[in-house]
Amino acid sequence: VGWDEKPNESHTDILLRTTVLASLGFSNHKQVLEEANKKFNEHLKSNKINPNIRSLIYGLVAYSGDEKTFELLKNMYIKEKLQEEKIRLLASLGMFKQKNILRKALEFSLSKHVRNQDAMYILSLVGSNENADDLAWQFLKEKWNEYYKRYHEGHVMPSIIKACLLRFKTLDKIKEIKSFFNKHKVPIAKRAIEQSIEAIRINYNFVKYNDDL
């Protein structure tokens, strides 16, 4: 499918390109990661990345990047005026592999630079990031008072909780989750918590019955 759009491409062709390149890049395909970084560096000089692959490139650059990359993307976000572009840059901060950088991304999401309605993007991405372990969940617990103050009355809180929990696959996590929410009541997220616990049980059973395969 290549990196560049071709004349008379359909919408599905454009989606196929981002799907294929994302699958390869986030599977550590060397050439795809190198090309993404090359295009990103060209973008810094001439702002020429096609908007249809801009989020993908930011994400792959973060995925293959380091603390210097994090600071660059973060500062680009702070300086950017267009909200759509800010969201692309903000989302990329949750795609690094290093837990110490992901922790910085989570802390940045609660800073004055990030709108309340946008802060959840990083927490959700870190929650689904296989390199983060339980970092999002631990951060949510640590900063619970802040998250509860911001979101406890809206529809965002259930989504935040689910994003932090759905990747778990051990029964001890269920005990930990129940204990935490018995002490920290969130009526609006009651169903989301129950669904997350059920998903963990499903994950646990899948691993248990397929462990020898």
Side-chain angles (χ1 to χ4, degrees):
V1 296
W3 287 85
D4 301 316
E5 291 186 9
K6 302 171 180 62
N8 302 316
E9 275 192 334
S10 68
H11 180 63
T12 53
D13 291 330
I14 294 171
L15 291 176
L16 177 63
R17 175 175 295 106
T18 57
T19 300
V20 169
L21 292 174
S23 297
L24 289 169
F26 291 117
S27 298
N28 294 302
H29 190 283
K30 182 179 178 182
Q31 287 86 351
V32 169
L33 292 175
E34 288 177 348
E35 184 65 21
N37 278 274
K38 177 184 175 182
K39 288 187 176 297
F40 177 71
N41 290 326
E42 292 172 351
H43 173 67
L44 295 178
K45 299 174 184 177
S46 57
N47 191 26
K48 287 186 177 179
I49 298 179
N50 187 311
N52 289 325
I53 60 169
R54 198 171 292 177
S55 294
L56 170 67
I57 288 178
Y58 291 158
L60 293 177
V61 166
Y63 180 75
S64 58
D66 53 20
E67 292 200 26
K68 183 178 178 181
T69 312
F70 172 79
E71 293 298 327
L72 175 58
L73 290 167
K74 183 184 76 173
N75 289 328
M76 287 173 65
Y77 168 84
I78 292 172
K79 294 176 182 177
E80 180 61 49
K81 301 299 182 185
L82 184 65
Q83 188 59 29
E84 183 179 5
E85 184 71 356
K86 287 180 80 72
I87 293 297
R88 292 189 184 110
L89 290 162
L90 185 67
S92 71
L93 301 183
M95 298 183 186
F96 285 85
K97 295 179 183 178
Q98 303 90 332
K99 286 182 70 174
N100 64 310
I101 298 179
L102 293 173
R103 169 77 193 199
K104 288 183 178 181
L106 289 169
E107 292 171 347
F108 177 70
S109 72
L110 296 180
S111 72
K112 66 179 182 180
H113 300 291
V114 181
R115 302 187 308 177
N116 283 357
Q117 61 264 44
D118 298 336
M120 63 168 288
Y121 288 116
I122 293 183
L123 189 67
S124 296
L125 284 163
V126 174
S128 62
N129 188 326
E130 64 180 11
N131 299 292
D133 297 324
D134 64 350
L135 180 61
W137 168 234
Q138 298 303 329
F139 190 82
L140 178 65
K141 292 193 296 180
E142 179 186 332
K143 304 292 184 180
W144 178 255
N145 290 340
E146 179 62 29
Y147 280 106
Y148 188 79
K149 181 177 71 175
R150 292 186 182 200
Y151 305 117
H152 75 281
E153 294 181 345
H155 68 280
V156 172
M157 182 60 90
S159 299
I160 286 177
I161 291 173
K162 273 189 173 183
C164 292
L165 303 181
L166 287 179
R167 290 188 66 253
F168 295 148
K169 51 186 178 292
T170 58
L171 298 182
D172 61 317
K173 280 297 181 186
I174 293 179
K175 295 178 182 178
E176 181 183 333
I177 292 162
K178 285 184 175 181
S179 175
F180 181 81
F181 287 114
N182 282 336
K183 297 175 183 176
H184 304 83
K185 303 294 184 181
V186 197
I188 197 171
K190 182 177 183 293
R191 182 169 177 78
I193 295 167
E194 292 172 348
Q195 290 173 335
S196 298
I197 289 172
E198 181 61 23
I200 294 170
R201 287 199 180 97
I202 292 171
N203 293 342
Y204 168 79
N205 288 327
F206 180 85
V207 172
K208 179 181 178 182
Y209 292 123
N210 294 279
D211 196 38
D212 294 331
L213 296 180

